[in-house]
Amino acid sequence: MVASLVGDPARANMLTALMNGRALTASELAQEAGITPQTASSHLSKLEAGGLVEPEKQGRHRYYRLTDDDVAGVLEGLAGLAARTGHMRVRTGPKDPALRRARICYDHLAGDLGVQMLDTMRERNLVRQKKQDIELTAEGERFLAKHLQISPDMLAHPRRPVCKACLDWSERRHHLAGTLGAALMQRFAELKWASRDATPGSRVVNFTRAGEKQFAALFGNAND
Amino acid sequence: MVASLVGDPARANMLTALMNGRALTASELAQEAGITPQTASSHLSKLEAGGLVEPEKQGRHRYYRLTDDDVAGVLEGLAGLAARTGHMRVRTGPKDPALRRARICYDHLAGDLGVQMLDTMRERNLVRQKKQDIELTAEGERFLAKHLQISPDMLAHPRRPVCKACLDWSERRHHLAGTLGAALMQRFAELKWASRDATPGSRVVNFTRAGEKQFAALFGNAND
DNA sequence: TTCATGCTTCGATGGTAGCCGAAGCATTGT
DNA sequence: ACAATGCTTCGGCTACCATCGAAGCATGAA
């Protein structure tokens, strides 16, 4: 039964954490629920079997999101009923520093700027996205060659795809991975637009003032 | 949390029994859930504390009903989620298989056979169902008159509808209520097809061998 | 009053499910 | 190649909670 799935406090915490529409990894959900990863794994497989959440594999991570709006709707309804009796559950907001702004995801740009970049590329028909698969358009190739001196033959790789949608850690939306994503990040570094933070282990990417301006000129969106 | 209240099978059975909008006494709900009155009392106080049901005292009875339409709406939403995964509720409630097979719901037939009867009537255009409302067709009237000697004027009643969809507790689907449902059950008894179980308080309906055969001839479905 | 019915509370029991430690895969990084 | 990380599976332990018997209050009837 679905209700019993939601009834368990640990699972309810996980689902509540997913209510903002973003996807979370199994470990993050474990932390949200205050349980160990192995317990969380058990819960998540039950939620998946019940059709409440859907997994998306990304490297060695496993992102979970609510299956669809129907699930979210029912959860909201339950929350509404709970609110009437005064039993409300507090949702702690994402408490991330400037790491959310820009950081390295493997070898490409992630964070707010990374998501923004892919958004803009999609808007301007530089790429076409279908679920996880992203395809570089002819218009996109021209754009890359003209503004960033990136040619298609630089992106060829025997096993790795040129473009790939990668789920963003902080924004919970897709950013651009693949050889193109890596090439773009590399070019940003070469152009001194941005560089990885000096502190070891940090994944923060620091943009220079000039670099941020140039980046915005190419990939900035309207309300920026 | 609200969901954990609904999550328990016994409580879910009670709530489902209340989904038709009518109020039921604590003992009736206990019977519906297949548990003893003292267990039901515990459950009902929890449901009341959770704001899902409201009691109404009447003599030495205590009638319970769903608090409002919001509660019913959320319950339907949950049922919807359960239905689409095909992951219907596990029947842990009542032990009595005979009770699931055929029983009295107020004054009409419920259980597997009751649901089956309405299904067949719908298939053969004897009735037309739109949500909770059921309408007897001209074809249905002929059928009833021919095979069961039931005429439309026998079904007239100032306030009670002729046909009504009643949510079946064990099958989670509709069976036929209203004056027609009552008339059918009465006719089954008169024809010695079936009779209520002798043990006082029991809601089981026992079909005779011949009665079951006749019933199947009229309302049996293909895969039976 | 006395009895019967409907419901609740109390106490004890048992089954179930959440939980974690340890170990096993899978993927990635060096 | 090896190590590190993320996640899963397995086994056992434990705590919770539904369940029922027995007894205690109510209300209504005789």
Side-chain angles (χ1 to χ4, degrees), chain A residues 107-214:
Chain A
D107 56 3
H108 53 267
L109 183 65
D112 180 32
L113 292 181
V115 170
Q116 191 182 121
M117 181 171 74
L118 180 57
D119 277 349
T120 303
M121 292 177 74
R122 223 187 288 109
E123 270 176 24
R124 301 190 188 163
N125 279 321
L126 307 183
V127 295
R128 247 190 300 277
Q129 180 170 6
K130 206 179 292 177
K131 296 269 182 184
Q132 290 251 25
D133 297 323
I134 299 184
E135 187 185 18
L136 187 61
T137 64
E139 203 172 340
E141 289 187 2
R142 284 195 298 274
F143 178 92
L144 292 174
K146 177 177 179 186
H147 295 102
L148 292 165
Q149 293 78 48
I150 294 178
S151 60
D153 55 330
M154 295 167 60
L155 305 175
H157 189 278
R159 291 177 319 187
R160 194 177 178 192
V162 174
C163 297
K164 190 174 184 309
C166 183
L167 202 49
D168 197 274
W169 183 86
S170 59
E171 296 299 315
R172 308 303 156 176
R173 292 164 59 204
H174 287 136
H175 58 242
L176 183 62
T179 59
L180 175 56
L184 282 168
M185 185 62 230
Q186 192 184 344
R187 181 66 80 207
F188 295 157
E190 291 168 359
L191 294 172
K192 307 278 190 222
W193 290 8
S195 62
R196 295 195 54 167
D197 196 280
T199 53
S202 172
R203 298 172 56 216
V204 172
V205 169
N206 295 310
F207 270 72
T208 64
R209 293 187 71 92
E212 191 155 0
K213 203 171 172 183
Q214 302 268 27

Side-chain angles (χ1 to χ4, degrees), chain A residues 8-85:
Chain A
D8 177 75
R11 286 192 293 261
N13 284 332
M14 294 182 174
L15 291 171
T16 311
L18 292 172
M19 277 293 280
N20 55 13
R22 298 175 172 179
L24 296 171
T25 69
S27 347
E28 287 171 326
L29 288 169
Q31 194 178 357
E32 286 286 339
I35 54 181
T36 59
Q38 57 266 35
T39 305
S41 179
S42 163
H43 284 311
L44 286 169
S45 54
K46 285 172 188 169
L47 288 175
E48 185 183 348
L52 295 182
V53 301
E54 268 178 356
E56 180 179 341
K57 225 177 145 182
Q58 192 87 35
R60 37 185 174 188
H61 295 279
R62 223 178 136 93
Y63 283 88
Y64 283 92
R65 59 159 48 93
L66 297 182
T67 302
D68 55 26
D69 291 341
D70 289 343
V71 174
V74 170
L75 290 179
E76 277 203 42
L78 283 168
L81 289 187
R84 299 200 306 194
T85 66

